[in-house]
Amino acid sequence: MINRMIGKAYDRQGFSEIAFNYYEVDLKSKKTPNDILGTLYSPFYKGDLYLAAEDTGNAILNYREAAFYAKKQHMKPGYLYSTLSLIYRLQKKFDSALFYLNQNNTLTKSKKEDLLFRKVALMENSLNLSSLYLDTKDFDSAISFGLQYLNEFSKAGDINMLMISLKNVATAYFNKANKSRSFYFANQLLYYSRGAGARPFIRDAYLLLS
């Protein structure tokens, strides 16, 4: 677990090679039978790194490994649905990606679990919808879902989710040629990414502001 946590910290700061090494160590380490999430997240995080390096093929391979494990362990369907949606999104099978996100949304709303848990799941799903609609060039929907829980991410101190939301919204406004709104959210992205030392988001903010 410690190698996975260190790897994620380096990943968020943009030190991909160092993060990759920690994930490799974590993947090769023997997991305890009850470390179900660890076995799921290790290949998923590796997929994130491949995706950041624009190696979509290897990203999909790792995401598929995570999806296979989630299904094998009969984990909560939300884990499987969100991962399958990401795989289809990368394959540009957007209808299938949207289907699984909508399934996840419906399932989450119908659960009788803790209200806070459900809200967190809905917030993450909304962010995934924003990213998907950005890919399909439905910029109004990307903005709507990107803004839906923006304040909640800020209040909860979830800076990573907040930065993704800000990037999506700023990018959508940029593509709509609304420079003033794009600059507004890009400046917020720059502020939070600097505070977090998140170099990839700092780069994205400067690109949007240039």
Side-chain angles (χ1 to χ4, degrees):
M1 179 185 290
I2 187 65
N3 287 302
R4 188 167 64 249
M5 293 172 65
I6 295 172
K8 193 60 181 174
Y10 276 118
D11 180 16
R12 288 181 175 177
Q13 291 181 330
F15 297 102
S16 299
E17 291 185 8
I18 300 174
F20 190 89
N21 290 334
Y22 276 101
Y23 290 151
E24 282 278 85
V25 173
D26 184 71
L27 272 171
K28 293 174 182 177
S29 64
K30 186 177 181 179
K31 304 288 191 300
T32 59
N34 61 347
D35 190 12
I36 295 174
L37 287 178
T39 308
L40 171 73
Y41 284 140
S42 293
F44 192 91
Y45 288 160
K46 273 189 69 179
D48 287 347
L49 289 178
Y50 278 119
L51 188 59
E54 299 182 354
D55 186 346
T56 306
N58 274 314
I60 290 174
L61 286 175
N62 280 274
Y63 291 141
R64 278 179 176 163
E65 184 180 340
F68 173 79
Y69 184 77
K71 186 175 182 179
K72 178 183 176 182
Q73 293 296 321
H74 304 290
M75 298 178 70
K76 293 176 181 178
Y79 292 116
L80 179 62
Y81 290 166
S82 59
T83 306
L84 287 174
S85 174
L86 178 55
I87 292 169
Y88 282 122
R89 178 185 151 208
L90 293 176
Q91 294 175 326
K92 300 189 185 302
K93 298 177 181 179
F94 298 125
D95 287 344
S96 296
L98 182 59
F99 169 79
Y100 279 107
L101 286 181
N102 285 335
Q103 286 287 97
N104 197 21
N105 225 34
T106 302
L107 179 70
T108 302
K109 288 179 178 178
S110 68
K111 287 178 179 177
K112 296 180 179 179
E113 294 177 307
D114 180 80
L115 181 61
L116 180 60
F117 179 86
R118 276 188 288 149
K119 185 169 184 178
V120 169
L122 288 171
M123 288 164 66
E124 292 178 354
N125 207 59
S126 181
L127 186 54
N128 289 333
L129 282 165
S130 175
S131 297
L132 174 61
Y133 282 123
L134 199 58
D135 284 353
T136 63
K137 302 187 188 307
D138 183 349
F139 301 124
D140 288 332
S141 293
I143 291 167
S144 177
F145 282 103
L147 290 175
Q148 188 172 8
Y149 293 109
L150 195 66
N151 290 333
E152 280 82 352
F153 287 135
S154 180
K155 290 176 183 177
D158 194 335
I159 302 302
N160 192 59
M161 291 293 193
L162 177 62
M163 290 188 295
I164 297 172
S165 296
L166 290 169
K167 177 188 172 183
N168 284 357
V169 173
T171 302
Y173 274 122
F174 179 86
N175 282 284
K176 284 171 61 71
N178 189 332
K179 289 187 177 181
S180 62
R181 296 296 286 168
S182 178
F183 277 27
Y184 173 77
F185 289 104
N187 272 308
Q188 288 192 55
L189 174 61
L190 183 59
Y191 171 79
Y192 285 106
S193 59
R194 278 178 168 172
R199 299 190 307 166
F201 287 107
I202 294 172
R203 176 203 61 205
D204 294 334
Y206 276 123
L207 286 172
L208 286 163
L209 291 168
S210 62

